[in-house]
Amino acid sequence: MNIVILTGAGISAESGIKTFRDANGLWENHAVEDVASPEGFSRDPQLVYRFYNARRAQLQEVADNPAHRSIAKLINYCKNSTKHHAQLITQNVDDLHERGGLKDQDVWHMHGELKKMRCQKSAQVFTSPLHLDEKTLCPCCHQAGNLRPHIVWFGEIPFYLEEAFSLLNKCDLFLSVGTSGFVYPAAQFVSMTPETCRRVEINLNDTQISPVFDQHLTGKAGDILPDYVDELMEGLS
Ligand code: OAD
């Protein structure tokens, strides 16, 4: 069986990381275009560095939850199987899937990673210091001012798209966990699966892409996923 799991901010909500779309449309009290767009970064780089430094610092205060651990259990089980394959694609920039039990290379961070930075000249990616700013020296060009957070901003192309499209084509089970279906292309993934694919959405609420799914499990990912994964794994063995 080919399984694709797409996760969004909802899976980390129970760990204490706020989701993106709160009641007034702000991300941690900032307009998304100010802190998550190339234009915002050129307008006010210091604000953007500060914003992601605060998000990075917050990672030290939170921990993975049962939903992250269940996904890791399923993926690690499939890695040891010759019959099944499971791939995680996450829109989250936190590292809670890794802390929940996955190896770095098993997590496709399509929107980038808070713990990484990128040189804008060479496109090389490095581990970010906790505090990144315009004075941080780049490990490759040894200059300051070239580094940016390794985050995909609005208007930029997400990572792992080609790999995702080819897996979605042959997917038998598509699991969407804690994502609002607002942001493309991730919101389109479910529609790219074949007709034979079972599509399951786990969310606190219905989303705008709910009608495309075969099954909705309504509630917290951390409550639903442990039992769901155990049952699924019984069927796989
Ligand atoms: P959103 O904040 O848009 O949506 C979070 C979803 O999680 C909502 O549908 C909630 O109902 C649901 N949710 C909240 N708590 C939950 C829980 N405990 N269990 C299950 N579901 C829960 O976040 P995303 O869909 O991830 O992009 O947002 C997608 C992208 O938009 C983000 O990656 C980010 C943002 O702008 C970039 O930064 C490029």
Side-chain angles (χ1 to χ4, degrees):
M1 181 185 268
N2 285 313
I3 304 168
V4 176
I5 306 154
L6 172 69
T7 63
I11 196 167
S12 296
E14 288 160 73
S15 294
I17 298 183
K18 275 197 195 159
T19 56
F20 292 96
R21 286 167 187 77
D22 65 9
N24 43 21
L26 299 178
W27 182 10
E28 297 275 0
N29 301 320
H30 291 278
V32 170
E33 56 276 18
D34 287 342
V35 292
S37 75
E39 297 75 22
F41 187 51
S42 3
R43 209 166 37 235
D44 192 348
Q46 281 170 3
L47 168 75
V48 175
Y49 284 124
R50 252 198 333 268
F51 178 78
Y52 290 98
N53 287 343
R55 308 278 72 71
R56 208 174 294 115
Q58 186 189 30
L59 286 187
Q60 299 188 308
E61 286 152 29
V62 300
D64 52 281
N65 69 55
H68 298 106
R69 295 195 279 277
S70 302
I71 289 177
K73 185 171 162 185
L74 175 62
I75 288 183
N76 290 328
Y77 171 83
C78 290
K79 274 176 87 175
N80 292 319
S81 149
T82 49
K83 289 189 291 185
H84 308 294
H85 180 263
Q87 179 62 51
L88 172 65
I89 308 172
T90 186
Q91 298 164 88
N92 298 345
V93 294
D94 64 55
D95 63 343
L96 296 184
H97 281 301
E98 288 87 342
R99 287 200 249 162
L102 286 176
K103 297 235 176 334
D104 289 0
Q105 65 267 25
D106 294 334
V107 187
W108 290 358
H109 282 277
M110 63 181 291
H111 289 167
E113 294 173 69
L114 274 175
K115 288 197 157 173
K116 294 189 177 162
M117 62 185 183
R118 187 166 78 237
C119 172
Q120 299 186 86
K121 288 213 163 145
S122 72
Q124 283 194 69
V125 176
F126 304 96
T127 300
S128 172
L130 251 181
H131 183 95
L132 172 67
D133 65 19
E134 66 284 359
K135 296 194 199 94
T136 310
L137 275 190
C138 175
C140 64
C141 53
H142 306 288
Q143 285 171 6
N146 290 337
L147 292 162
R148 59 166 275 182
H150 186 50
I151 301 287
V152 176
W153 288 326
F154 284 91
E156 298 181 325
I157 299 169
F159 304 121
Y160 296 105
L161 280 191
E162 271 183 38
E163 294 91 331
F165 293 159
S166 87
L167 279 187
L168 290 164
N169 264 326
K170 51 183 188 209
C171 179
D172 302 302
L173 172 65
F174 180 80
L175 274 182
S176 172
V177 184
T179 175
S180 60
F182 267 111
V183 173
Y184 285 79
Q188 218 168 10
F189 284 180
V190 59
S191 307
M192 300 173 89
T193 57
E195 264 182 41
T196 48
C197 176
R198 180 156 188 81
R199 300 143 175 172
V200 181
E201 181 176 60
I202 299 175
N203 200 300
L204 279 183
N205 309 300
D206 273 0
T207 67
Q208 59 173 16
I209 54 169
S210 287
V212 193
F213 286 88
D214 302 304
Q215 188 182 3
H216 303 273
L217 299 170
T218 304
K220 290 183 178 175
D223 292 340
I224 293 171
L225 264 173
D227 289 345
Y228 180 86
V229 163
D230 283 350
E231 265 176 45
L232 178 65
M233 281 173 49
E234 266 175 40
L236 293 179
S237 53

